[in-house]
C-alpha cells in the first residue's frame, strides 16, 4: 500500500567550487506518517516528553514540535514513534532529516538506510538518503540515490532539481539542463530553476522557454550492441537498468547469454536495453529471449530512445537465431503509460495477465480467523519440503498430476526453507506449498497444490495456514501471494479468504513478439 506523503522541504546549503551554479541545496522530503530500530543515544532525552500509546500519535506530536522549531523535542517524539512501531517509516524520514540539520550525517545515513531496508520502494526516503550522502561529500552515492528516486517516482521534482545542480557543478551542462527543464515541467513557477538555466545557457536565452528541439536532434543518439555481459560485470551498468539487475542476481541465477544495446549522446550513456537468451527446453524447443531491463534516463525520455533501444535489441536477438522474445513485468501506472504503448508501437502481441500478486504484512494476515479453523486429521502429516526423499521426488515427477506452473521443483535454489511444506496422507505425498524469499523481509507464496480428491476437503487451505503460521512466528514482515490468472479455485480463495487482509493487489503480465516465422536458424559466432 502506497503511503501519501506531504512535501515539506528542509534545505541545507552545500558549496561546490568552480561551478556556474555556486551552491546545491539537497531538498529533504518530509513525509507525515511510517521506522527502524535506532540507538537511543542518537537522540538526546527531553525531560517531560509525554508518553503516547501509538506510533502515529507520537509522530504527529513530533511534527507539531518540528513546525514550532523545537527540534530536540521533536526528535525525541520521532524516536518514541519508532520504539512503538519499528516499521513506521515517516518517523525515520523526519528523524533522519533532523539529524542532518544537527550535522549528524553518519547517524542520519544509518537511519535512512534502515528505513529503506524496511521498504525499498519509498521515493521520499531514497531522496532523503541521497541528500545525506551529498552533505557527506559522497557524490557518486548521492547521484545514484537521486536516480533511484526517479525510477520509483518519475515526477519527484526534488530529485531532478538536485541532479541538475549536481551535474552543473561538474560542468556537465547538457545533462544539467535536461534535469532542470524537468523541474520546470513539474514546477513551472520555480524561479530558482529559471535562474539556474539562465546561468547555464548564457548567450542562448531562447533555450529558457519551450518549445525546444529534442535533445537527439541537437546531439545525435548513438546505439551500440554490448556483448560478453555477465552477472558480475553488468553491475557497472546498474544505474541504467530497470528493474535493477544487481538486485535480480541476488535472488535469481543467470539462465543464458546476456545481450544489451546502449544509447549514448555526446559520449554520455543515456539508456540501455538488456535481454537474456534462454536455452531451448521441452516447453520452448526453439531459441528464445527475455527482455529483463529497459531504462532511459529521465530527461531523455519521450524522444523515442526507449522504442529504438527495443527495436535494435530485437534485431540483435534475431541475428543470433532467437525466434521469440518476451517481457514479463508487474503492471503499474508507469507500465501502462510507458512500456505497453512502446510494445504496441513495436508490433508486439497484446500483453496477457499471467498472475495476480496480492500483498500484505505478516501482522495483518495473522488476523485471519481461517488460519486456525481447519485443523488436519491425524492421518495427514505436514513436513518441511527440504526433507522430501529422492523416492518421493521421483514419484511426483512420474505421476505429473500438477499443472506446470505448480511444479514444486522449479527455481529450487530460491525455495524458502522456513515454511515451504509438504503434505503426506498415510505416508504418501499428496500436496505441497512452496514459498520463495523475494526480498530479505518478504516471502512469496508461489505454489499450492493438493491432489484433486483432497481439494474439496479443504486440505490445501489447512496446509497454507500451517505455512503462514510459521512466517508469523518469524521476524519476516511481509508476504505476497502469486495466483495464476486462470486458476479459478485459487482466485475464489483469494477473494473470500485473503482479500480482507491485503494491503494491495496487482498483476504480473507477459508480452510476446515473434522474431522468426520458420525454424532452422543457427546462432551467430562472436568472431
Amino acid at each position: 500500500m502506497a503511503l501519501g506523503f506531504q512535501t515539506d522541504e528542509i534545505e541545507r546549503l552545500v558549496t561546490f567550487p568552480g561551478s556556474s551554479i555556486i551552491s546545491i541545496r539537497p531538498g529533504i522530503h518530509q513525509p507525515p506518517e511510517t521506522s527502524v530500530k535506532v540507538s537511543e543515544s542518537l537522540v538526546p532525552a527531553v525531560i517531560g516528553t509525554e508518553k503516547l500509546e501509538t506510533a502515529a500519535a507520537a509522530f504527529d506530536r513530533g511534527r507539531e514540535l518540528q513546525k514550532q522549531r523545537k527540534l530536540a523535542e521533536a526528535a525525541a517524539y520521532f524516536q518514541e514513534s519508532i520504539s512503538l512501531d519499528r516499521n513506521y517509516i515517516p518517523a525515520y524520514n523526519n528523524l533522519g532529516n533532523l539529524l542532518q540539520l544537527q550535522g549528524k550525517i553518519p547517524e542520519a545515513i544509518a537511519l535512512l538506510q534502515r528505513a529503506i531496508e524496511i521498504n525499498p520502494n519509498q521515493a521520499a526516503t531514497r531522496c532523503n538518503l541521497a541528500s545525506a550522502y551529498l552533505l557527506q561529500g559522497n557524490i557518486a552515492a548521492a547521484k545514484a540515490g537521486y536516480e533511484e528516486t526517479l525510477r520509483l517516482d518519475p515526477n519527484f521534482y526534488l530529485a531532478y532539481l538536485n541532479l541538475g545542480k549536481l551535474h552543473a557543478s561538474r560542468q556537465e551542462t547538457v545533462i544539467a539542463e535536461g534535469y532542470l527543464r524537468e523541474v520546470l515541467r513539474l514546477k513551472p513557477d520555480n524561479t530558482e530553476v529559471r535562474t539556474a538555466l539562465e546561468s547555464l545557457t548564457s548567450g542562448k536565452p531562447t533555450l529558457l522557454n519551450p518549445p525546444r528541439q529534442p535533445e537527439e536532434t541537437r546531439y545525435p543518439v548513438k546505439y551500440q550492441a554490448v556483448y560478453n555481459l555477465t552477472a558480475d560485470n553488468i553491475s557497472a551498468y546498474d544505474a541504467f537498468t530497470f528493474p535493477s539487475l544487481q538486485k535480480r542476481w541476488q535472488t535469481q541465477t543467470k539462465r543464458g547469454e546476456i545481450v544489451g544495446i546502449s544509447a549514448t549522446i555526446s559520449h554520455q550513456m543515456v539508456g540501455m536495453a538488456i535481454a537474456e537468451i534462454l536455452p531451448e527446453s521441452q516447453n520452448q524447443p526453439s531459441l528464445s529471449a527475455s527482455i529483463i531491463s529497459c531504462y532511459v534516463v529521465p530527461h531523455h525520455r519521450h524522444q523515442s530512445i526507449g522504442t529504438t533501444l527495443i527495436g535494435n535489441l530485437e534485431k540483435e536477438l534475431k541475428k543470433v537465431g532467437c525466434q521469440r522474445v518476451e517481457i514479463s513485468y508487474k503492471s503499474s501506472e508507469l507500465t501502462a503509460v510507458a512500456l505497453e504503448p512502446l510494445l504496441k508501437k513495436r508490433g508486439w502481441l497484446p500483453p496477457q495477465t499471467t498472475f495476480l500478486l496480492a500483498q500484505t504484512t505478516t501482522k495483518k494476515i495473522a488476523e485471519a480467523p481461517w488460519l486456525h479453523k481447519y485443523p488436519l486429521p491425524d492421518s495427514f502429516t505436514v513436513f518441511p519440503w527440504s526433507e522430501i526423499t529422492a523416492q518421493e521426488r521421483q514419484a511426483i515427477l512420474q505421476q505429473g498430476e500438477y499443472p506446470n506452473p505448480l511444479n514444486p521443483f522449479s527455481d529450487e535454489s530460491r525455495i524458502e526453507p522456513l515454511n515451504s511444506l509438504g503434505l503426506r496422507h498415510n505416508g504418501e505425498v499428496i500436496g505441497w506449498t512452496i514459498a520463495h524469499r523475494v526480498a530479505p523481509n518478504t516471502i512469496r507464496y508461489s505454489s499450492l497444490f493438493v491432489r484433486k480428491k483432497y481439494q474439496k476437503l479443504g486440505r490445501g487451505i489447512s496446509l497454507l495456514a500451517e505455512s503462514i503460521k510459521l512466517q508469523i512466528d518469524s521476524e519476516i514482515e511481509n508476504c505476497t501471494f502469486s495466483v495464476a490468472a486462470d486458476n479459478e479455485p485459487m482466485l475464489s480463495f483469494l477473494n473470500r479468504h485473503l482479500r480482507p487482509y491485503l494491503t494491495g493487489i496487482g498483476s504480473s503480465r507477459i508480452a510476446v513478439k515473434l522474431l522468426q516465422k520458420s525454424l532452422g536458424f543457427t546462432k551467430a559466432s562472436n568472431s
Side-chain angles (χ1 to χ4, degrees), residues 55-109:
F59 177 82
D60 290 341
R61 179 60 180 145
R63 287 284 286 157
E64 293 173 7
L65 292 166
Q66 187 178 12
K67 291 176 181 178
Q68 299 169 24
R69 295 298 174 187
K70 298 178 180 178
L71 302 186
E73 295 176 58
Y77 276 102
F78 293 144
Q79 177 68 65
E80 176 69 12
S81 177
I82 290 171
S83 67
L84 289 168
D85 184 347
R86 298 296 184 185
N87 295 318
Y88 202 70
I89 288 178
Y92 287 101
N93 272 297
N94 283 51
L95 182 54
N97 295 341
L98 291 183
L99 290 171
Q100 289 185 49
L101 291 176
Q102 294 169 357
K104 298 178 179 179
I105 307 304
E107 292 91 337
I109 288 174

Side-chain angles (χ1 to χ4, degrees), residues 133 137-147 166 170:
Y133 281 131
N138 189 340
I139 304 302
K143 180 174 177 290
Y146 290 132
E147 289 172 348
L166 192 154
R170 302 169 71 180

Side-chain angles (χ1 to χ4, degrees), residues 17-37:
S19 168
S20 59
I21 298 179
I22 61 169
S23 68
I24 178 167
R25 292 177 169 189
I28 300 175
H29 193 88
Q30 293 276 110
E33 20 175 9
T34 323
S35 172
V36 176
K37 184 176 181 180

Side-chain angles (χ1 to χ4, degrees), residues 11-224:
E11 295 186 339
R12 184 177 179 91
L13 185 67
V14 180
T15 301
F16 287 80
S19 168
S20 59
I21 298 179
I22 61 169
S23 68
I24 178 167
R25 292 177 169 189
I28 300 175
H29 193 88
Q30 293 276 110
E33 20 175 9
T34 323
S35 172
V36 176
K37 184 176 181 180
V38 181
S39 169
E40 302 290 342
S41 63
L42 291 182
V43 183
V46 178
I47 298 175
T49 300
E50 178 189 0
K51 290 290 183 181
L52 299 174
E53 293 184 357
T54 68
F59 177 82
D60 290 341
R61 179 60 180 145
R63 287 284 286 157
E64 293 173 7
L65 292 166
Q66 187 178 12
K67 291 176 181 178
Q68 299 169 24
R69 295 298 174 187
K70 298 178 180 178
L71 302 186
E73 295 176 58
Y77 276 102
F78 293 144
Q79 177 68 65
E80 176 69 12
S81 177
I82 290 171
S83 67
L84 289 168
D85 184 347
R86 298 296 184 185
N87 295 318
Y88 202 70
I89 288 178
Y92 287 101
N93 272 297
N94 283 51
L95 182 54
N97 295 341
L98 291 183
L99 290 171
Q100 289 185 49
L101 291 176
Q102 294 169 357
K104 298 178 179 179
I105 307 304
E107 292 91 337
I109 288 174
L111 192 76
L112 294 168
Q113 284 175 334
R114 292 189 179 185
I116 288 173
E117 288 175 7
I118 294 171
N119 188 342
N121 298 319
Q122 290 286 359
T125 310
R126 293 279 183 183
C127 189
N128 288 346
L129 179 59
S131 295
Y133 281 131
L134 193 58
L135 294 172
Q136 190 184 49
N138 189 340
I139 304 302
K143 180 174 177 290
Y146 290 132
E147 289 172 348
E148 181 66 18
T149 301
L150 293 176
R151 291 194 204 188
L152 296 171
D153 184 352
N155 291 324
F156 207 97
Y157 90 95
L158 282 175
Y160 286 115
L161 177 63
N162 292 334
L163 277 170
K165 291 184 172 182
L166 192 154
H167 282 287
S169 73
R170 302 169 71 180
Q171 306 300 315
E172 294 169 347
T173 306
V174 174
I175 297 178
E177 184 183 344
Y179 280 121
L180 295 178
R181 289 192 183 282
E182 287 297 313
V183 178
L184 287 185
R185 177 178 65 83
L186 297 167
K187 302 279 185 178
D189 299 328
N190 192 311
T191 56
E192 179 190 15
V193 173
R194 290 199 176 274
T195 302
L197 276 171
E198 289 173 3
S199 176
L200 282 173
T201 58
S202 56
K204 298 184 290 182
T206 56
L207 290 177
L208 290 175
N209 300 305
R212 63 187 179 98
Q213 285 183 300
E215 295 287 351
E216 72 267 30
T217 303
R218 295 184 286 142
Y219 305 95
V221 185
K222 294 184 179 180
Y223 299 90
Q224 183 175 357

Side-chain angles (χ1 to χ4, degrees), residues 335-354:
T335 60
V337 301
L339 178 62
E340 291 177 358
L342 181 158
L343 298 176
K344 184 177 181 180
K345 188 182 296 185
R346 289 293 316 157
W348 286 55
L349 298 174
Q352 301 294 318
T353 297
T354 53

Side-chain angles (χ1 to χ4, degrees), residues 305-369:
I305 294 176
T307 304
T308 309
L309 280 169
I310 295 296
N312 283 322
L313 187 56
E314 290 172 8
K315 292 177 184 177
E316 288 300 315
L317 295 171
K318 189 172 182 179
K319 283 181 185 178
V320 300
C322 289
Q323 298 187 32
R324 178 182 183 273
V325 60
E326 65 181 39
I327 183 169
S328 298
Y329 57 95
K330 185 177 178 180
S331 181
S332 67
E333 289 184 18
L334 182 60
T335 60
V337 301
L339 178 62
E340 291 177 358
L342 181 158
L343 298 176
K344 184 177 181 180
K345 188 182 296 185
R346 289 293 316 157
W348 286 55
L349 298 174
Q352 301 294 318
T353 297
T354 53
F355 290 92
L356 294 184
L357 303 172
Q359 304 102 36
T360 188
T361 64
T362 306
K363 184 177 180 181
K364 194 163 183 65
I365 194 65
E367 300 171 2

